[in-house]
Amino acid sequence: MTFSWTPHRFSGGVLALDVANSVVLRADPERRIDRFADPAVMDAFAAGANRHGAERALFGPLEPVAPEARAGLVTLREAIDRHFRAEVQAGAKPALLADLLEAAAATLRLSGERPQALDTATARSALLLIARPEPERLKICPNCGWLFLDRSRNRSRAWCDMAVCGNRAKASRHYRRNREEARP
């Protein structure tokens, strides 16, 4: 099956969260899919972010990660996910923040000569996200579990992507309601 980086896959609102969301069904070990497990798919992520990413103007055209830096990007991705997921669910944890800062620093040291590389831009995006003024805008999609930044005016965004997760949730609710009404 061919995989492509569609606009839905960049619904996190910032590059760091889009990278964290490259693991599908993260909380379900039996159905979990790591899109970066395939180096070709990881390399294609940069082109997808150039087309669909919310921060494409901020970082300029991204380049794929150097082969020797792939493991570092995965380490950074996991630190991003752990820190921001914990921040949404239970509040900031200093140890997780330290892990993220260490992963970002290691990435920037290794790829400092490649400012347009995906790993460099991801580290910078994560650092900008840490410094954001409104932490309550960071949310977790109740349908798929992806992290996203709610940029709606009244902070009411509920799903990572209304066209995908929002429609699924509404269709499920409609199906349950009709099924309950049909019962004698």
Side-chain angles (χ1 to χ4, degrees):
M1 181 173 140
T2 304
F3 176 79
S4 63
W5 292 106
T6 61
H8 165 67
R9 307 211 184 265
F10 294 90
S11 56
V14 294
L15 180 62
L17 298 182
D18 292 335
V19 168
N21 293 338
S22 66
V23 176
V24 180
L25 301 171
R26 185 179 284 277
D28 186 349
E30 292 185 16
R31 298 181 353 183
R32 176 184 166 117
I33 301 168
D34 180 354
R35 296 292 184 198
F36 285 0
D38 180 349
V41 174
M42 181 189 280
D43 289 347
F45 185 91
N50 288 333
R51 280 191 308 277
H52 310 297
E55 292 182 318
R56 60 186 176 269
L58 181 62
F59 298 117
L62 298 177
E63 302 167 358
V65 175
E68 65 274 8
R70 287 185 178 130
L73 177 60
V74 171
T75 299
L76 176 61
R77 174 190 70 185
E78 296 307 306
I80 289 167
D81 185 79
R82 283 190 306 271
H83 169 71
F84 290 112
R85 193 168 296 278
E87 192 169 286
V88 171
Q89 293 174 334
K93 295 190 172 148
L96 294 177
L97 176 59
D99 290 346
L100 175 53
L101 293 172
E102 288 169 3
T107 297
L108 293 170
R109 278 190 198 96
L110 180 66
S111 64
E113 298 301 314
R114 298 187 66 221
Q116 298 308 116
L118 175 62
D119 52 344
T120 304
T122 301
R124 291 176 55 209
S125 175
L127 294 172
L128 290 170
L129 190 56
I130 289 168
R132 76 193 177 289
E134 299 174 283
E136 66 277 0
R137 290 195 179 268
L138 186 64
K139 297 181 179 180
I140 298 173
C141 180
N143 187 54
C144 69
W146 280 1
L147 293 161
F148 68 94
L149 197 58
D150 178 0
R151 293 195 175 161
S152 66
R153 193 175 286 190
N154 63 357
R155 297 177 181 93
S156 63
R157 185 172 157 196
W159 299 286
C160 67
D161 185 351
M162 182 59 197
V164 178
C165 288
N167 282 347
R168 286 179 186 161
K170 287 180 175 186
S172 177
R173 204 169 37 240
H174 176 74
Y175 173 77
R176 279 193 311 271
R177 189 172 38 244
N178 285 345
R179 205 169 102 211
E180 289 171 5
E181 290 174 2
R183 288 186 182 157

